[in-house]
Amino acid sequence: MTVFRSTLSAVAAAALLAACNLAGARSKPVALPDPAVDVAANPAATTETAVFAGGCFWGVEAVFEHVRGVKSAVSGYSGGSAPSARYLLVSTGRTGHAEAVRVVYDPKQVSYGQLLKVFFSVVHDPTQLDRQGPDVGPQYRSQIFAANREQQRVAEAYIAQLEAARAFAGPIVTKVAPLDGFHPAEAHHQDYLEHHPDEPYIVYNDAPKLVHLKRMFPALYRAPHG
C-alpha cells in the first residue's frame, strides 16, 4: 500500500512509523567500495546530468542537494511512456513512471561514479523491489536512467562489482536503462525536506540520510545554504 505523504495527524504519524518499521526501512547506510571504473573526465564539460530513482524523490533530492559539486537536484518522473506525468497519476503505479531526481553536477568536483556510490550507500536500499520503506509500488523502484552509453556502462559495472563483493545481504534489484525523458514534479514537491523538516515522514525516512551522508562522505558533504 502506498503511503499518501501529506501533513499527518499524531495518530497517522504513529501509524506511519509503525509501517516503516514493519516494512524494514533501512536505518543504517552501507559502506561500499569506490567504483572500479568511472566515466572518463571531459575537460571541456562544465556540467553533466544524471537521473536516479530510489523511492520517494523527497529524500533522493535532499541527499544530492548536499553533495559538493551538485549544481541542482530536481524531483520529477522518468521511465513512463506517457508524454507527461503528474503525481496523482504516477502514484497509481500504472503509468510506468518512477519518482526520480535529475542531478546536474560539475564533473570536475564530483564524478558520476561517486554519485553512484552515494546513491547505493546512503540514498536508498537497492535490495528492495518496487518499494522503499513504507512506500510501495513500481513508481518507487530502484532505477538508474543513464544519460548516455558511458553512464550505462559504468552503472552496470558498479552493480556487478557490488554483487561480486556481496556488499548487501540480498541481491541488488536496481535497473539500468537509457534516459528517455524527465518530467519535473509539481512545485510543492521541490525542496520538500527544506520546507518541511519537521514532518514525521521526513524526520523518520529522509533526515537520517543527511546525517549518514555527512558522516560517510565528509569530503563530499555540503552544508545547507545560509
Side-chain angles (χ1 to χ4, degrees):
M1 179 181 70
T2 299
V3 175
F4 194 80
R5 304 181 309 257
S6 58
T7 302
L8 303 173
S9 66
V11 173
L16 173 58
L17 296 186
C20 289
N21 286 324
L22 290 173
R26 192 177 72 202
S27 60
K28 295 181 180 180
V30 177
L32 300 176
D34 291 330
V37 296
D38 206 339
V39 171
N42 178 359
T46 56
T47 61
E48 299 284 358
T49 298
V51 177
F52 302 100
C56 172
F57 44 29
W58 296 342
V60 180
E61 178 199 277
V63 170
F64 283 118
E65 282 182 335
H66 288 79
V67 172
R68 191 178 304 278
V70 170
K71 300 296 184 181
S72 68
V74 176
S75 290
Y77 314 101
S78 284
S81 58
S84 62
R86 293 292 181 268
Y87 180 77
L88 290 179
L89 290 176
V90 172
S91 64
T92 67
R94 297 193 296 267
T95 70
H97 293 93
E99 290 195 10
V101 173
R102 182 179 62 200
V103 179
V104 177
Y105 64 99
D106 181 350
K108 296 181 179 64
Q109 297 186 57
V110 62
S111 72
Y112 183 69
Q114 289 174 307
L115 294 178
L116 286 174
K117 186 177 179 180
V118 170
F119 176 67
F120 282 106
S121 62
V122 175
V123 167
H124 81 312
D125 181 347
T127 69
Q128 293 194 17
L129 181 63
D130 288 346
R131 75 178 306 155
Q132 282 296 307
D135 298 314
V136 180
Q139 68 271 31
Y140 299 113
R141 66 186 179 270
S142 174
Q143 185 156 359
I144 297 167
F145 295 97
N148 50 53
R149 291 184 179 179
E150 183 74 351
Q151 284 189 1
Q152 181 152 352
R153 181 182 70 85
V154 170
E156 290 174 345
Y158 193 44
I159 291 173
Q161 178 185 344
L162 295 179
E163 289 279 43
R166 297 186 178 180
F168 299 94
I172 295 173
V173 298
T174 307
K175 300 176 182 178
V176 182
L179 176 64
D180 185 19
F182 177 85
H183 307 280
E186 297 80 350
H188 64 274
H189 286 299
Q190 308 300 334
D191 301 312
Y192 197 89
L193 183 146
E194 179 182 348
H195 296 309
H196 305 276
D198 299 323
E199 184 170 311
Y201 180 97
I202 294 295
V203 171
Y204 185 85
N205 293 284
D206 296 333
K209 296 177 183 180
L210 300 184
V211 176
H212 298 324
L213 176 69
K214 183 177 182 179
R215 178 173 62 83
M216 296 185 68
F217 298 90
L220 282 181
Y221 178 78
R222 180 177 62 194
H225 296 299

